[in-house]
Amino acid sequence: MELTVDRRWDLVDRIAKETVEVGVYRPSLKDALADVTVRPATGIPVAIAVIYGFWMFFCEFAGTLFTDGFFVKIFDGHWLPWLQEVFPFGLGNWFYELMVDAGHMENGVLVASDNCFEAFGVLTSGLFIAIGVVLPAIIAFYLILGLLEDMGYLPRLAVLVDTVLHKIGLHGYAIVPTFLSLGCNVPGVSATRSLETRKQRFMMITLLGVFIPCGAQIGMMQDLIPAQIGWVFLTLLVGYLGVGWILNKVWPGGESPEILMDVPPYQMPTWGNIGRKLWIRVSGFFKVAVPFVLLGCVIVGILYLTGAMDHIANALEPLLTNVFGVPSDTVAPLVAGFLRKDLAVGMLEPIEMTTFQLFTSVVLLCIYFPCLATFALMIKELNWKEILGCLATLVVVVFIFGGILHGIGTIGGWY
Amino acid sequence: MNKILLMGQPNVGKSVLFNRLAGARAIESNYPGTTVDYTKGHLMLDGKSVEIIDVPGTFSLDPKDRAEEVAVKMLEGEKDAVVVCVIDASKVERGLYLTLEVIEKGYPVIVALNMWDVAKGGNIKINAPRLEQILGVPVVPTVATRGEGLRELVVRIREAEPVEIEEILNSVGGNRSGTYS
């Protein structure tokens, strides 16, 4: 026999009456802390402090301590010169170019590179990007994310941003997929399953795919343009909220319903769990991302060697230079970006352009297309109409953002 | 018994329990909706390896989102599974609702009263033996994060049996016995 909803609740009540005794509750330090972090007057400053602290740790730990202080020295000072010495064939050979160093022309002479950004071989740039820059970034990000997750801070943040996100048709809980996406878009997109309506899921997935850079990409951006990265985030945030607002108006599916969300009590994180999660996520990165970075290097290398890249660059030059105001050389990173965004950002470094063009390219790389892994999951999670909607949004956003940035650059005289 | 399903509301610690029982690696966090797809692992029971599945959290068997749909489909697809209903001991009523639903569907059930420490800290007393008497299924207090009660939970899984809801309706409000712990 199955009970009706009312009769079942009635039975629950009767069972509870007999078995549960709720004593006097004594508020503890945890409750005080919980109060401080959700009340807007104190919660917003706390949230800003938490995010700022998160960012500083990310920059200092990943960027300064490991990448600059350790890996740059190892890769540029020892690994690259050593490979240049012992690897057979030498400069000018196609295999050497693919694996170690493509070199560059100086006064008509092919010269060897002196750093791993410019060499562009699988064993040099590929490994440097994957291990020297992205790995420390991933570790730093997931260490702090794990702490925030286990304490139970994220639901509090969700409560705080609920009002703002409701204006764009999303629920405060959207902060969870967004935060996860800042590590990697793939688990971020999966996490949208907790949202209630199809419309919310579609909007959230679109916004994540278009505007949220992943941890690997952020690590590279921080390494490449530390002074401008704040502007990149601001541009993306404006897009996230603005496009969200528009999508909410134009996409059918009605208003966003109120979801009741549990805010769990704060818990003391255990190092065991944080360590285990960090390990699962970092080893996942190694298994999936590193091969893709190296594969990306090979594919781009082959496109260059066969001259295909030049054809693509020539074909897209009018679009890139006239509409977006960036050099046609950025086509190579845009191609690589389909596979790995971190690799793509790294490929911008050797291209000659102004700081503003570099900034524009970094923003375009973020929004022009999600990486393949994310796109594959999007196809799984959305129906064809939603995928078309997502792609249409993407194209419109790229042209509007690229055009506006080009306009701003022209007015500012930054070319 | 060929499969064990871990079911319960979001954020009651199913993934923690799962990792402890199966020695597996599901991501654990302190917010609802950490698990949106199921994770499988294995547990040694009486020298035999039994599949154990960490099911996404759900408030009821009437799904409200995609993650809950996964949970309900999982349950419907495993007709001869034993269900470990994980209840947050500080919010027993809500967990009982889902537990009753699962019992009504005819599944053998065992209840893990998890977060026993949180309930105690909140000065909530639960009479587990009496609850066991009323439901007619094993009820085991656990603190999954510290591994407390897990051995008893595993040992008693084989006591899980289907119960008729009428029996529960009859035994509730009956003779009071057992002690508050």
Side-chain angles (χ1 to χ4, degrees):
Chain A
M1 185 181 90
E2 287 188 28
L3 301 175
T4 62
V5 173
D6 288 344
R7 283 202 66 195
R8 196 178 295 124
W9 275 120
D10 181 57
L11 179 56
V12 166
D13 272 349
R14 282 160 63 200
I15 297 175
K17 213 169 272 171
E18 270 193 60
T19 55
V20 183
E21 194 183 17
V22 180
V24 184
Y25 186 74
R26 293 177 301 269
S28 64
L29 184 67
K30 270 185 193 172
D31 299 292
L33 202 62
D35 217 38
V36 166
T37 46
V38 287
R39 214 170 275 224
T42 46
I44 292 171
V46 169
I48 292 171
V50 166
I51 290 166
Y52 181 74
F54 195 159
W55 178 244
M56 287 318 285
F57 178 82
F58 183 81
C59 294
E60 291 302 318
F61 176 90
T64 311
L65 189 66
F66 280 90
T67 303
D68 296 342
F70 181 68
F71 286 114
V72 169
K73 287 172 189 154
I74 301 261
F75 273 90
D76 290 354
H78 301 280
W79 179 242
L80 179 67
W82 180 76
L83 273 179
Q84 283 169 332
E85 208 180 295
V86 303
F87 203 86
F89 311 118
L91 208 57
N93 171 277
W94 69 270
F95 190 67
Y96 181 86
E97 190 176 327
L98 201 59
M99 301 310 286
V100 182
D101 184 7
H104 57 282
M105 298 305 263
E106 245 172 55
N107 307 322
V109 187
L110 190 62
V111 196
S113 310
D114 54 10
N115 69 63
C116 281
F117 262 132
E118 287 173 7
F120 233 83
V122 174
L123 296 177
T124 49
S125 300
L127 281 182
F128 173 65
I129 288 173
I131 293 170
V133 186
V134 174
L135 181 64
I138 292 287
I139 292 178
F141 180 85
Y142 282 127
L143 189 63
I144 303 293
L145 181 72
L147 256 169
L148 294 180
E149 281 182 335
D150 287 13
M151 278 172 61
Y153 185 66
L154 295 184
R156 265 97 192 168
L157 203 56
V159 171
L160 276 177
V161 296
D162 192 53
T163 331
V164 179
L165 288 175
H166 257 292
K167 291 214 162 57
I168 65 165
L170 288 169
H171 181 263
Y173 190 82
I175 201 74
V176 169
T178 305
F179 249 80
L180 290 178
S181 281
L182 286 168
C184 172
N185 279 193
V186 171
V189 170
S190 299
T192 60
R193 289 183 179 182
S194 302
L195 298 177
E196 280 206 327
T197 65
R198 274 216 85 95
K199 178 177 172 173
Q200 284 186 325
R201 296 192 62 226
F202 159 74
M203 283 178 52
M204 189 77 246
I205 290 176
T206 304
L207 293 179
L208 295 178
V210 178
F211 292 108
I212 305 297
C214 68
Q217 198 179 351
I218 297 171
M220 289 302 293
M221 297 189 321
Q222 207 273 323
D223 200 51
L224 187 65
I225 47 164
Q228 286 81 32
I229 195 166
W231 290 104
V232 175
F233 279 126
L234 188 67
T235 312
L236 295 175
L237 182 68
V238 168
Y240 180 94
L241 295 175
V243 173
W245 187 79
I246 295 168
L247 276 180
N248 185 35
K249 296 276 173 218
V250 302
W251 194 262
E255 292 295 301
S256 66
E258 198 65 50
I259 319 176
L260 297 174
M261 183 186 53
D262 262 329
V263 177
Y266 275 123
Q267 302 282 2
M268 188 56 101
T270 61
W271 287 111
N273 192 41
I274 295 204
R276 190 167 45 244
K277 280 209 282 200
L278 188 62
W279 173 249
I280 297 170
R281 286 162 161 172
V282 171
S283 59
F285 164 76
F286 252 92
K287 272 182 250 161
V288 182
V290 174
F292 267 89
V293 170
L294 301 183
L295 180 70
C297 277
V298 173
I299 291 175
V300 171
I302 289 172
L303 287 178
Y304 267 121
L305 282 169
T306 54
M309 196 65 93
D310 293 332
H311 287 296
I312 307 175
N314 285 336
L316 291 179
E317 180 163 14
L319 176 71
L320 292 171
T321 51
N322 297 339
V323 182
F324 303 140
V326 295
S328 63
D329 289 347
T330 52
V331 80
L334 286 170
V335 168
F338 280 101
L339 274 179
R340 289 291 306 177
K341 294 288 182 86
D342 43 4
L343 173 67
V345 175
M347 287 173 67
L348 291 171
E349 205 270 356
I351 299 173
E352 255 182 62
M353 52 182 154
T354 66
T355 311
F356 189 77
Q357 285 177 317
L358 187 57
F359 160 74
T360 309
S361 310
V362 168
V363 172
L364 286 177
L365 263 183
C366 273
I367 61 180
Y368 85 104
F369 196 76
C371 72
L372 266 186
T374 307
F375 190 64
L377 185 65
M378 285 164 69
I379 290 178
K380 207 179 125 202
E381 296 286 319
L382 299 173
N383 64 31
W384 65 271
K385 216 171 102 189
E386 290 166 329
I387 291 171
L388 284 183
C390 177
L391 290 176
T393 310
L394 202 139
V395 171
V396 172
V397 165
V398 168
F399 276 91
I400 290 178
F401 270 65
I404 290 178
L405 287 178
H406 191 188
I408 293 175
T410 310
I411 293 166
W414 292 319
Y415 292 112
Chain B
M1 169 195 334
N2 64 350
K3 271 173 196 162
I4 299 169
L5 301 184
L6 289 180
M7 293 196 69
Q9 310 231 326
N11 214 43
V12 296
K14 293 177 294 301
S15 295
V16 183
L17 201 61
F18 174 77
N19 285 350
R20 298 295 174 281
L21 292 178
R25 308 153 143 212
I27 296 262
E28 310 164 3
S29 302
N30 183 19
Y31 59 82
T34 305
T35 310
V36 290
D37 209 342
Y38 56 87
T39 318
K40 293 182 176 185
H42 287 273
L43 167 73
M44 288 305 280
L45 210 61
D46 303 327
K48 274 187 298 189
S49 173
V50 181
E51 190 168 70
I52 175 164
I53 303 170
D54 181 23
V55 179
T58 183
F59 284 97
S60 72
L61 295 183
D62 173 26
K64 293 279 186 288
D65 60 44
R66 278 262 299 168
E68 295 199 356
E69 264 170 43
V70 172
V72 175
K73 279 207 183 107
M74 192 85 228
L75 181 71
E76 284 168 355
E78 302 292 348
K79 289 291 179 206
D80 42 358
V82 170
V83 180
V84 178
C85 282
V86 188
I87 294 183
D88 176 347
S90 65
K91 298 171 190 142
V92 174
E93 287 90 340
R94 287 203 209 167
L96 275 179
Y97 185 85
L98 180 68
T99 306
L100 289 177
E101 273 192 304
V102 176
I103 288 176
E104 286 166 38
K105 296 265 181 216
Y107 289 89
V109 165
I110 171 167
V111 173
L113 272 178
N114 197 33
M115 303 202 195
W116 189 250
D117 54 335
V118 176
K120 262 193 177 161
N123 217 355
I124 296 169
K125 286 177 188 159
I126 301 160
N127 186 341
R130 177 70 189 131
L131 186 58
E132 182 166 327
Q133 217 172 38
I134 294 173
L135 293 177
V137 305
V139 173
V140 184
T142 58
V143 183
T145 50
R146 296 202 298 252
E148 288 169 24
L150 298 197
R151 177 180 284 273
E152 194 192 342
L153 185 73
V154 172
V155 168
R156 298 193 66 190
I157 281 179
R158 77 175 75 95
E159 292 174 33
E161 265 178 53
V163 179
E164 288 300 323
I165 199 75
E166 286 87 348
E167 291 175 35
I168 299 177
L169 283 166
N170 288 338
S171 53
V172 74
N175 290 328
R176 242 190 135 89
S177 63
T179 49
Y180 285 96
S181 56

